[in-house]
Amino acid sequence: MNIRLLIYKALVSGIFALATIFADTSNNTASAARNVVASVTTALSSDEATMLTFMREEEKLARDIYIAMYQKWGAVTFSNISKSEQNHMDTLKKKLDKYQLPDPVQPALGVFTNADLQTKYDQLQVIGLQSLVDGLYVGATIEEVDMVDIQHAIDVTTHLDVVNSYQNLLEGSKNHLRAYVKALASQGVTYAPQFISLELYNAIIGL
């Protein structure tokens, strides 16, 4: 047989063997990745599940309050932020679905599965409906509480996809707080933080 043909066959055989090895490695890696994803998807701890469920409904509280404030006072700040809160709710709903957790959110505005959130909503709505300034103050208060709760949720969560969602929500709450503080300033009111440190507040506002 021609020596060149022998060399060619050897090369082809070697390349095929390498391709087989890489294909097997790739298949094994893909299989391992699928196993990892499957284990992560089903491995939420009790604390993680509780916080994810709570945060989904707490975002609803913010959205529903802002809708009520917009209907009463017509300030565009409420309308804009209520739409953002809907996006936050949608983000958390995707996580509930991914981890096969029941959704606590009820369709009616101002109605909550969590009794504590129901009480908070009722109290905040009464305050916010007293005046535009009170409504804006309620908005800023909600965003502060949200930040505290989101940070707690981050602290008890080990799943990076959920942590990433919380971090996005946290940045959103910072933006919302800035908007409410600015709106209050336009009404001649200087807002002071109630639940976060003054140092963090100043960093968020840019002071």
Side-chain angles (χ1 to χ4, degrees), residues 45-64:
S45 70
S46 177
D47 286 343
E48 288 175 308
T50 297
M51 284 307 302
L52 184 59
T53 302
F54 177 81
M55 292 308 304
R56 160 78 169 158
E57 204 170 19
E58 188 173 61
E59 295 301 315
K60 179 186 189 301
L61 181 149
R63 184 203 64 178
D64 290 2

Side-chain angles (χ1 to χ4, degrees), residues 30-197:
S31 177
R34 285 192 295 269
N35 290 337
V36 169
V37 170
S39 65
V40 167
T41 300
T42 57
L44 276 184
S45 70
S46 177
D47 286 343
E48 288 175 308
T50 297
M51 284 307 302
L52 184 59
T53 302
F54 177 81
M55 292 308 304
R56 160 78 169 158
E57 204 170 19
E58 188 173 61
E59 295 301 315
K60 179 186 189 301
L61 181 149
R63 184 203 64 178
D64 290 2
I65 283 286
Y66 302 158
I67 289 174
M69 295 301 103
Y70 178 67
Q71 291 173 344
K72 175 66 175 181
W73 307 115
V76 69
T77 300
F78 294 122
S79 177
N80 290 341
I81 299 181
S82 69
K83 294 173 184 175
S84 179
E85 298 295 353
Q86 179 63 62
N87 291 335
H88 291 181
M89 289 178 63
D90 294 342
T91 294
L92 296 181
K93 177 62 164 60
K94 291 177 182 177
K95 295 306 174 186
L96 289 176
D97 291 344
K98 176 179 178 179
Y99 291 100
Q100 301 180 341
L101 295 172
D103 183 13
V105 166
Q106 300 187 42
L109 292 174
V111 179
F112 299 87
T113 300
N114 185 294
D116 289 337
L117 290 177
Q118 184 68 65
T119 298
K120 289 178 181 178
Y121 174 87
D122 295 338
Q123 293 172 342
L124 291 169
Q125 186 183 41
V126 169
I127 296 170
L129 292 177
Q130 293 179 9
S131 70
L132 172 58
V133 166
D134 286 318
L136 295 170
Y137 210 92
V138 162
T141 301
I142 288 173
E143 297 305 330
E144 275 199 74
V145 173
D146 270 1
M147 281 188 277
V148 172
D149 289 342
I150 292 170
Q151 187 58 60
H152 175 64
I154 291 173
D155 291 341
V156 303
T157 303
T158 60
H159 291 71
L160 294 182
D161 63 317
V162 181
V163 169
N164 184 62
S165 294
Y166 286 149
Q167 289 173 336
N168 290 336
L169 264 59
L170 188 58
E171 293 306 310
S173 288
K174 291 176 182 178
N175 289 334
H176 300 166
L177 179 59
R178 293 186 193 101
Y180 283 124
V181 169
K182 181 178 179 180
L184 283 166
S186 72
Q187 298 293 317
V189 177
T190 299
Y191 183 80
Q194 307 167 74
F195 300 97
I196 62 176
S197 69

